[in-house]
Amino acid sequence: TKRECDACLVDNFDTVIVCKGCYVNVHLSCYGVDRFRTGWFCDFCVARRNRLIDPSEPFCELCPVRTGAVKKLFSGDEKQIGWVHIICAEWLPCMSVSADKSMVTIADLTGFNNRKKLKCKICKTSDGVCTQCYSKKCCNSFHITCAVNQGYPLYQSPSLELHAFCKTHESQMRVIQENCESKQTQLPVIKNTATINGETNEVNTNTQIVEQEYIGDDILCSVCNDGESIPANEIVLCEGCDLAAHQQCYEIHEIPENEWNCYSCLKKAKNIFCVSCNQNGGPMYETKEGKWIHSFCMAFISELQLSELNDDISPPIVIGVHDAQYRRKCLNCLVCSKSGGICVMCSHPSCMFAAHPFCCRNEWSAAFSLDQTEVLFQIFCPDHSSSKNNSHNLGQAIKSYLQYLFRQRVQQRYNRTHPSSS
C-alpha cells in the first residue's frame, strides 16, 4: 500500500514504518532505521518516554509546526540544542543532515542567524528559520512546513539540489524542471540574499555557489498582463496577497523600502467585488462611494477618473462611478449575459456590442493613439478587430494608455506645486 513519508513527503511503495507513539510515517532510509520492526518508536517518542524532553521547549527549532518526523539538532560542539523536522533541515541550505539520518547540525551559523530574522509570508511570524523563494527577483520567505501545507512548489533537481518557490513563481519552477529533465544538466544554486532592516545580507549555503541563470520575466502585471519591468516602471508584488502590478498601471508613485501592500490590502478590505465587472480579486481602487473597481476596468470607462494627486503615499480615489452607472444602466453584457455593473461598447460606429471590461479581456482588442490635439483610446469587439482601426493586443493598449494617464497626473501635480514653472 502506498503511504506518504512524513520526512520526504514522497508517496510510493517503499517500506514505511509507523511510530507506535505518535503515528508518524517514515521510510526506513529517510529516518535512518536499519530494519522494519513492530512496536517501533521514533527518536522523539523515545526521549519523551525516557522523560528527557522539557515540555516547554519548542517541538521544531526551524518552524512552528508541532507534528511530524523530527531528529535531534546538534550545535558545532556536538551538544544537543533541540529538535528539527527532517524536511525542514534538508530544505534549508544552512543545515546539514548526516548520511545515516542520525543527527542534524547547523552547517552555516551565519546563514542560520540571518534566516532567523526572516518573517514567514504564510504564517506571518518570525519563529524558527525561513528559506527564500529560489526566483532571482523574489525575496519572499517562508517556513518549509508552511510552504508544504500551502502547496508551494518544491523541486529537487537531477543533481539532488533542493529549491523552493513561492506561489507567484510556480511557473518558473516548471520551466527549470523541464530544462533540467530535457537537458539533464545540473540546476544552478542561487546565492540567496535577504533584505533585513534595510540591509542586504548574503545567506551562504553549504554547497558550491554559482550565479543563477536568468530565465526570463514570469511575473506578469495583473492589469496589462505584460512581464516587462524597468526601473521607471517596475512590477511590484503585494506583501499581503501576492498581487503583481506595474507602477504606472496601478498608480504606485513610490516603492517602499520594505514591503508594499496594494490599496485593498492597505485598507484591509476582504471579499470586495469590482463595481464594474462584479469580479473579486486583482488590483482595485476604492471609489468615492466606498465601493471598489479594477484599475483595468476603470481605464475603459470615460466617466471615471482618479482624484487629484496630493502626495505619493495616499491611495487614489475613483470618482464618477454614479454618473457612469446612470448613463450606462441600459447596457447588458453580451459575454456573461448578466445585468448590473458598468459595461462598455465596441467603438465601431455601427456596433451595439456591450460587455463588462473584464469579460472582454481575452477576446477584444484596443487602439491607443496620441497626437497634439487628441488622446484616443478605443476598444473593439472580435467582429471589428482589424488592421483598419489599428487595433492590437488589449493589454498593450491598456498599458500605454495608463502610462500616459500616470505621466499626465504627475505633471499636473508638479504644475500645482510649482505654478511659476508651468
Side-chain angles (χ1 to χ4, degrees):
T1 302
K2 296 174 68 176
R3 183 180 292 169
E4 183 178 278
C5 171
D6 291 317
C8 69
L9 303 183
V10 174
D11 188 7
N12 57 26
F13 290 97
D14 290 348
T15 302
V16 170
I17 192 169
V18 181
C19 174
K20 189 178 179 180
C22 63
Y23 303 104
V24 68
N25 305 313
V26 290
H27 291 131
L28 299 182
S29 58
C30 289
Y31 202 76
V33 183
D34 56 353
R35 59 184 176 83
F36 183 87
R37 54 185 178 273
T38 59
W40 173 79
F41 290 92
C42 69
D43 293 356
F44 186 81
C45 286
V46 169
R48 184 166 53 188
R49 285 165 60 88
N50 293 332
R51 299 182 180 181
L52 300 176
I53 299 177
D54 181 356
S56 64
E57 70 178 68
F59 184 80
C60 177
E61 299 289 341
L62 305 179
C63 77
V65 176
R66 298 191 61 81
T67 58
V70 294
K71 281 287 185 177
K72 296 177 181 178
L73 174 64
F74 292 86
S75 60
D77 56 0
E78 298 186 355
K79 178 182 177 181
Q80 184 182 351
I81 56 177
W83 297 83
V84 294
H85 289 114
I86 296 177
I87 186 172
C88 291
E90 290 190 330
W91 283 85
L92 284 167
C94 58
M95 308 300 294
S96 176
V97 182
S98 61
D100 60 359
K101 310 292 184 179
S102 61
M103 61 186 295
V104 178
T105 56
I106 300 175
D108 175 18
L109 185 59
T110 301
F112 180 86
N113 291 331
N114 282 340
R115 290 175 184 273
K116 284 178 70 72
K117 302 174 185 178
L118 297 175
K119 181 179 179 181
C120 178
K121 181 178 179 62
I122 300 171
C123 70
K124 309 297 183 183
T125 69
S126 299
D127 298 335
V129 180
C130 291
T131 189
Q132 289 176 285
C133 176
Y134 182 73
S135 177
K136 186 176 182 180
K137 297 183 178 181
C138 185
C139 289
N140 284 335
S141 54
F142 39 82
H143 298 116
I144 291 298
T145 48
C146 290
V148 170
N149 291 334
Q150 290 296 314
Y152 277 31
L154 306 177
Y155 176 62
Q156 179 175 331
S157 74
S159 57
L160 303 183
E161 292 171 358
L162 306 174
H163 306 285
F165 294 81
C166 67
K167 278 286 190 180
T168 305
H169 295 100
E170 185 170 2
S171 59
Q172 189 177 95
M173 185 274 293
R174 289 195 294 267
V175 172
I176 296 177
Q177 185 177 11
E178 291 171 0
N179 290 341
C180 287
E181 291 177 352
S182 61
K183 299 179 182 180
Q184 290 297 307
T185 56
Q186 182 170 335
L187 187 66
V189 180
I190 191 172
K191 183 186 292 184
N192 267 335
T193 58
T195 303
I196 302 171
N197 297 328
E199 298 181 359
T200 300
N201 297 276
E202 183 175 297
V203 182
N204 297 318
T205 69
N206 60 333
T207 57
Q208 183 180 2
I209 297 175
V210 296
E211 293 297 329
Q212 183 189 27
E213 179 184 358
Y214 179 68
I215 298 170
D217 290 324
D218 67 313
I219 305 177
L220 301 181
C221 173
S222 301
V223 181
C224 68
N225 204 37
D226 182 64
E228 181 185 30
S229 182
I230 59 177
N233 191 23
E234 293 185 27
I235 293 180
V236 186
L237 291 174
C238 174
E239 180 69 19
C241 64
D242 285 338
L243 177 146
H246 281 114
Q247 289 179 258
Q248 297 181 15
C249 287
Y250 194 47
E251 290 284 326
I252 308 170
H253 293 266
E254 183 176 330
I255 302 177
E257 292 184 0
N258 297 319
E259 54 188 49
W260 173 80
N261 287 282
C262 68
Y263 296 127
S264 55
C265 286
L266 201 61
K267 285 288 188 101
K268 297 182 179 179
K270 303 293 184 181
N271 298 321
I272 56 176
F273 291 82
C274 175
V275 70
S276 172
C277 66
N278 301 317
Q279 301 287 333
N280 64 345
M284 294 193 194
Y285 297 121
E286 189 174 12
T287 71
K288 185 180 179 180
E289 295 80 6
K291 299 179 180 180
W292 293 84
I293 187 169
H294 287 122
S295 173
F296 177 87
C297 296
M298 188 203 71
F300 285 80
I301 305 168
S302 57
E303 295 93 340
L304 304 185
Q305 59 181 329
L306 293 173
S307 57
E308 289 188 353
L309 181 65
N310 296 317
D311 56 61
D312 293 336
I313 302 175
S314 301
I317 300 295
V318 176
I319 56 179
V321 170
H322 179 76
D323 292 340
Q325 288 176 320
Y326 179 78
R327 294 178 61 182
R328 300 170 185 257
K329 63 182 180 180
C330 295
L331 298 179
N332 291 325
C333 180
L334 297 179
V335 178
C336 69
S337 302
K338 295 180 181 179
S339 59
I342 305 176
C343 292
V344 295
M345 294 184 65
C346 175
S347 297
H348 192 277
S350 61
C351 185
M352 299 298 291
F353 201 127
H356 296 120
F358 194 86
C359 291
C360 62
R361 176 171 193 151
N362 296 324
E363 300 293 335
W364 291 35
S365 62
F368 172 69
S369 60
L370 174 66
D371 56 37
Q372 295 181 350
T373 59
E374 185 180 26
V375 177
L376 192 62
F377 178 70
Q378 297 176 302
I379 56 174
F380 298 93
C381 69
D383 292 338
H384 297 106
S385 299
S386 67
S387 57
K388 293 181 180 179
N389 53 40
N390 295 319
S391 62
H392 52 86
N393 180 271
L394 185 62
Q396 289 299 322
I398 285 284
K399 181 180 179 182
S400 300
Y401 181 51
L402 291 177
Q403 285 178 347
Y404 165 76
L405 295 179
F406 182 90
R407 291 191 290 266
Q408 285 292 104
R409 285 168 51 74
V410 172
Q411 184 63 48
Q412 290 170 3
R413 178 193 171 190
Y414 180 83
N415 292 341
R416 290 199 309 269
T417 56
H418 301 78
S420 60
S421 60
S422 58

